[in-house]
Amino acid sequence: MNKDVIIALDFPTRQETLDFLGQFTGRKPFVKIGMELFYAEGPQVVRDIKAMGHRIFLDLKLHDIPNTVKRAMAVLSRLDVDMVNLHAAGASAMMRAALEGLTRPDGTRPLLIAVTQLTSTDAAALKEELLIDVPMEETVLRYAQNAAKSGLDGVVCSPLEAAGVKAACGPAFLTVTPGIRFADGDAGDQKRIMTPERAGQSGSDYIVVGRPITQAADPAAAYARCVREFLGQ
Ligand code: C5P
């Protein structure tokens, strides 16, 4: 199992992103590129960061009809990223089509991770807007099981849900968990948080860490601390 720390590159421009990455002179961190940077700078920023030696989680959360997602995933796969994601709400046919599109001619492909329910969706929205009557936890676990049955590699979830997802979908099914804060850090707008050390013990395979590293006075030192605490090294 390749446990690792993924830094969320939540920057609006290529220049700010490259200035930030320039501070990492040792181990090249696994990084997450989201919609903001991708839509601002396009696919070239992905190629450039890849060429610098970083592994990349391209966090674009695809959700469309199977054929469209399949073709879009084939394009993302050619960018040579290491991990991509989609909404499990697109259902099994879309998830299987995504896997087909992602698989390169040589049989390799990026890891494919599902978003279950967004953490911004609360119980009231689930029931009254999405008309889902079962509790949130049951929805999350069922969507995770749908993803596992469709052949996906894992889900994005809270570190508090990681053990439950592993129990429902098997130990090899990956959990990618944001909501990480140092014990002496600022929670910011994250509510259900865990330290890197506790996340490591709770079954998270990859932790996604943004502000505790990007806003630190010394980001390289904060990253090194995060890796040390998460991997127990
Ligand atoms: O700065 P912070 O550590 O809170 O950043 C966490 C990253 O993980 C951000 O890029 C955020 O969009 C993402 N994320 C999250 N919660 C989710 C899914 C993604 O915080 N449920």
Side-chain angles (χ1 to χ4, degrees):
M1 194 69 66
N2 280 329
K3 285 183 170 249
D4 209 348
V5 174
I6 302 178
I7 304 179
L9 295 178
D10 292 324
F11 298 105
T13 65
R14 168 194 163 83
Q15 197 52 55
E16 280 172 76
T17 309
L18 297 188
D19 289 347
F20 172 78
L21 291 176
Q23 300 173 78
F24 295 84
T25 49
R27 186 179 195 264
K28 297 283 183 190
F30 199 143
V31 297
K32 178 170 89 72
I33 296 175
M35 292 184 201
E36 182 184 17
L37 185 60
F38 188 80
Y39 291 149
E41 301 287 357
Q44 192 55 40
V45 74
V46 176
R47 293 188 193 98
D48 291 346
I49 292 172
K50 188 73 194 175
M52 290 163 64
H54 296 273
R55 295 176 75 199
I56 298 176
F57 171 19
L58 192 53
D59 178 18
L60 299 180
K61 300 186 178 69
L62 275 66
H63 187 180
D64 207 317
I65 59 170
N67 185 55
T68 301
V69 168
K70 177 178 170 179
R71 296 170 70 97
M73 286 293 187
V75 175
L76 299 185
S77 189
R78 289 198 290 275
L79 286 177
D80 199 22
V81 293
D82 300 280
M83 184 185 287
V84 295
N85 60 358
L86 49 64
H87 276 281
S92 302
M94 188 200 81
M95 292 194 269
R96 289 194 303 270
L99 272 180
E100 270 180 52
L102 269 187
T103 305
R104 303 179 181 113
D106 65 0
T108 64
R109 63 167 176 80
L111 292 170
L112 182 57
I113 304 296
V115 174
T116 57
Q117 287 292 350
L118 292 171
T119 43
S120 50
T121 304
D122 61 12
L126 193 73
K127 189 170 167 56
E128 285 153 32
E129 295 184 46
L130 304 183
L131 303 183
I132 295 173
D133 277 327
V134 300
M136 180 67 78
E137 304 72 55
E138 210 176 315
T139 316
V140 168
L141 286 183
R142 173 58 74 87
Y143 283 24
Q145 286 170 323
N146 292 346
K149 282 186 201 147
S150 303
L152 270 67
D153 301 295
V155 286
V156 180
C157 63
S158 156
L160 298 157
E161 294 162 356
V165 168
K166 294 272 184 191
C169 302
F173 194 65
L174 301 174
T175 55
V176 179
T177 63
I180 303 295
R181 292 295 179 266
F182 290 121
D184 53 4
D186 185 0
D189 55 0
Q190 295 278 18
K191 299 220 167 5
R192 301 170 68 226
I193 56 177
M194 221 184 241
T195 63
E197 187 181 9
R198 287 274 300 114
Q201 294 158 355
S202 76
S204 295
D205 294 298
Y206 293 91
I207 53 173
V208 177
V209 188
R211 288 160 291 180
I213 294 175
T214 58
Q215 306 297 315
D218 183 346
Y223 170 68
R225 175 182 174 190
C226 208
V227 170
R228 208 167 47 238
E229 290 188 10
F230 179 56
L231 301 179
Q233 292 170 352

